[in-house]
Amino acid sequence: MPRLPRFLAAALALGTAAALVTGCSQEGAPVSFDTPKSTSSARGGNAKDSAGNGDGRGPETVLPTGPKATFTTANTLEDGTRIGVTTLAGAKSGFTGKVWVWAPKQYFDPKYADSGFPVLVALPGGNGYPMNYWMGTDLELQSSISAWSQEGKSLPFIVVMPVLNPDDTFYYDGSDIPGQPKMGTWLAEDVPDFVRANFRTFASRDGWAFMGSSSGGFAGLKAVLQRPDRFKAVIASGPDTVPDSPLWAGHEAERQANNPERLAKALGAKPDTERNRVYLAFQIGTEESGMGRLKSFMKSYTKGPVKTRLEVIQGGGHNAKSYVRGMGDGSIAWISRQMQAPVPSP
């Protein structure tokens, strides 16, 4: 299926309402993600260690390394938490773009001052430029995660929302296409480096996941399969499963190196160990196409360390609101069970 026509249409279905950012009186005001400090150990107490060995030492927290970014308020949630935005100059990709970030209330609780928090990199559908529509409050991603974390369905994720593409003309498959901006490096290296610079995170991949709709679902799926040493899970909603940007023309070898089907096949042939396991949570609505494609992918590649789950959203379409509903119905709980929770101080 040619991606551009589909995803230009998907931009309307997924993001038109979200791109109309909900106004707030604090919009544009400075916002800080600084938190209380503690003098006790920066290691947790009773979860997996950074190697996933479960030996009781606790997860390794990485304190913010700097340099510290300057954030302004993009949106404010009803609970008073804010979505901040900044401009990131990617040191490794050479690409400069906006990144939106939200931290849950638990992040600011003094009892978690020594603990890292899991990170969810949220990617939009459509072109994902110049906005990432997950930064809007109308889709209720952040408020839902806040509620789910109180209900025990979800970990209290830090949600990071970078732009997906460098322009609104082409889709770049979340990859380093030869001769083009290095969007694979931007998403999988520069953005995580930026998060580590500004937030308390975990050293282990147990603290890192992607979620995305449509084209963003593809990019997140590919990133996890391509770098299982860095990312453990993804919620991929209504995604394609092969790279099909027209910009790959003349670069077939590189395209195949970014093909989730080939990546999943190679990973599935490895030993089924904790270090190799990835968790792919697929979502699709009953009112959209692509069900057969996802089921075929799962049948072919759910092997060894590649674990999959499909959330079928009854009455759901190819749109972000349906996908948030699917997350609440089961996907967010499934990946949360595989990942590292913040650990309160003793």
Side-chain angles (χ1 to χ4, degrees):
M1 177 185 298
R3 187 184 301 272
L4 287 180
R6 172 185 174 184
F7 286 111
L8 287 175
L12 296 176
L14 288 162
T16 299
L20 300 176
V21 179
T22 304
C24 66
S25 59
Q26 295 176 315
E27 185 176 342
V31 59
S32 172
F33 293 98
D34 292 344
T35 58
K37 300 295 190 296
S38 171
T39 57
S40 60
S41 169
R43 295 186 65 84
N46 57 9
K48 298 177 187 174
D49 68 11
S50 61
N53 295 322
D55 64 359
R57 288 184 296 152
E60 183 179 351
T61 289
V62 179
L63 298 179
T65 61
K68 186 177 177 180
T70 299
F71 296 93
T72 57
T73 301
N75 269 309
T76 303
L77 275 64
E78 290 185 359
D79 65 2
T81 56
R82 299 195 213 177
I83 298 171
V85 61
T86 192
T87 298
L88 171 64
K92 295 177 179 176
S93 68
F95 173 72
T96 296
K98 287 186 176 181
V99 181
W100 291 263
V101 183
W102 173 80
K105 273 200 166 182
Q106 293 94 324
Y107 186 81
F108 304 96
D109 188 329
K111 73 180 179 183
Y112 291 107
D114 291 323
S115 180
F117 272 69
V119 176
L120 189 66
V121 181
L123 303 178
N127 289 100
Y129 176 91
M131 304 291 285
N132 180 322
Y133 55 62
W134 293 115
M135 55 75 68
T137 58
D138 54 341
L139 296 176
E140 300 183 343
L141 174 63
Q142 295 83 4
S143 59
S144 294
I145 288 175
S146 181
W148 295 332
S149 70
Q150 296 295 328
E151 297 165 7
K153 284 185 180 180
S154 173
L155 296 182
F157 289 98
I158 297 170
V159 181
V160 184
M161 300 153 276
V163 294
L164 178 60
N165 289 305
D167 56 53
D168 59 3
T169 303
F170 294 107
Y171 178 66
Y172 291 71
D173 277 332
S175 302
D176 291 357
I177 300 176
Q180 304 296 332
K182 296 181 178 181
M183 302 314 292
T185 299
W186 160 258
L187 294 174
E189 297 189 38
D190 286 334
V191 170
D193 286 349
F194 155 80
V195 178
R196 283 186 285 266
N198 289 278
F199 295 87
R200 300 189 311 279
T201 58
F202 290 121
S204 168
R205 73 191 190 103
D206 287 359
W208 294 85
F210 278 88
M211 65 81 66
S213 299
S214 199
S215 52
F218 171 89
L221 172 65
K222 196 242 353 178
V224 171
L225 289 170
Q226 200 167 46
R227 295 174 171 86
D229 58 324
R230 300 185 185 186
F231 308 105
K232 191 173 188 180
V234 62
I235 300 175
S237 302
D240 278 343
T241 57
V242 294
D244 59 7
S245 169
L247 298 172
W248 288 113
H251 305 289
E252 183 59 18
E254 292 88 348
R255 187 179 79 87
Q256 291 300 335
N258 287 273
N259 185 341
E261 294 184 352
R262 289 204 171 190
L263 293 166
K265 182 178 181 180
L267 182 57
K270 293 184 177 181
D272 185 7
T273 63
E274 173 64 26
R275 290 178 182 271
N276 288 336
R277 285 178 199 135
V278 295
Y279 295 83
L280 315 179
F282 292 105
Q283 299 197 135
I284 195 160
T286 56
E287 300 303 310
E288 63 176 309
S289 62
M291 183 83 71
R293 180 180 66 249
L294 288 186
K295 287 185 175 180
S296 176
F297 182 97
M298 294 172 67
K299 182 178 179 180
S300 297
Y301 304 116
T302 305
K303 297 177 181 179
V306 179
K307 313 300 181 182
T308 64
R309 180 184 187 277
L310 179 62
E311 183 71 34
V312 177
I313 307 163
Q314 295 301 317
H318 192 70
N319 62 77
K321 282 190 173 292
S322 291
Y323 298 146
V324 172
R325 176 157 60 90
M327 290 171 67
D329 288 344
S331 298
I332 196 72
W334 189 68
I335 72 160
S336 290
R337 287 195 293 270
Q338 324 306 329
M339 299 185 67
Q340 179 60 59
V343 180
S345 298

